[in-house]
């Protein structure tokens, strides 16, 4: 799971052009939006596309769980792991 979290952090940094941010500076249980990393709704759209390309998972904006999946690195890792398990 640590490797997956590292990949998610690297994906966030590269897809959102956060050049001044290093993976080790993103705390796994810190909020990604608002306080914490400070991402916004446009970042969420860009990030969902990048994560779909990298991990092959889809995020449904109309699904009420989508917001929970983007709560933190931990939440994203749990969602991606669960989706990959379903696919296999």
């Amino acid at each position: 799971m640590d490797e997956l979290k590292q990949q998610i952090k690297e994906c966030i940094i590269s897809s959102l052009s956060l050049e001044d941010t290093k993976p080790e500076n993103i705390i796994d249980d810190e909020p990604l939006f608002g306080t914490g990393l400070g991402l916004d709704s446009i970042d969420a759209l860009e990030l969902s596309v990048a994560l779909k390309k990298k991990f092959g998972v889809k995020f449904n904006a109309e699904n009420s769980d989508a917001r929970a999946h983007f709560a933190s690195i931990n939440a994203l890792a749990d969602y991606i792991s669960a989706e990959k398990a379903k696919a296999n």
Side-chain angles (χ1 to χ4, degrees), residues 30-35 39-41 44 47-48 58-76 79:
E30 183 177 77
L32 296 177
F33 296 89
T35 60
L39 304 182
D40 61 24
S41 59
L47 183 55
S48 65
K58 295 181 183 179
F59 297 91
N60 185 350
E62 295 174 14
N63 184 337
S64 61
D65 293 336
R67 182 178 215 132
H69 299 319
F70 282 92
S72 66
I73 297 296
N74 287 335
L76 277 172
Y79 176 72

Side-chain angles (χ1 to χ4, degrees), residues 5-26 37 39 46-47 50-51 73:
K5 290 177 186 178
Q6 180 71 18
Q7 290 175 345
I8 293 169
K9 291 175 185 182
E10 290 170 359
C11 186
I12 290 170
I13 291 167
S14 66
S15 66
L16 302 178
S17 301
L18 303 176
E19 296 92 15
D20 296 336
T21 305
K22 296 184 189 280
E24 58 270 15
N25 295 341
I26 301 173
L37 197 54
L39 304 182
E46 291 180 36
L47 183 55
L51 292 170
I73 297 296

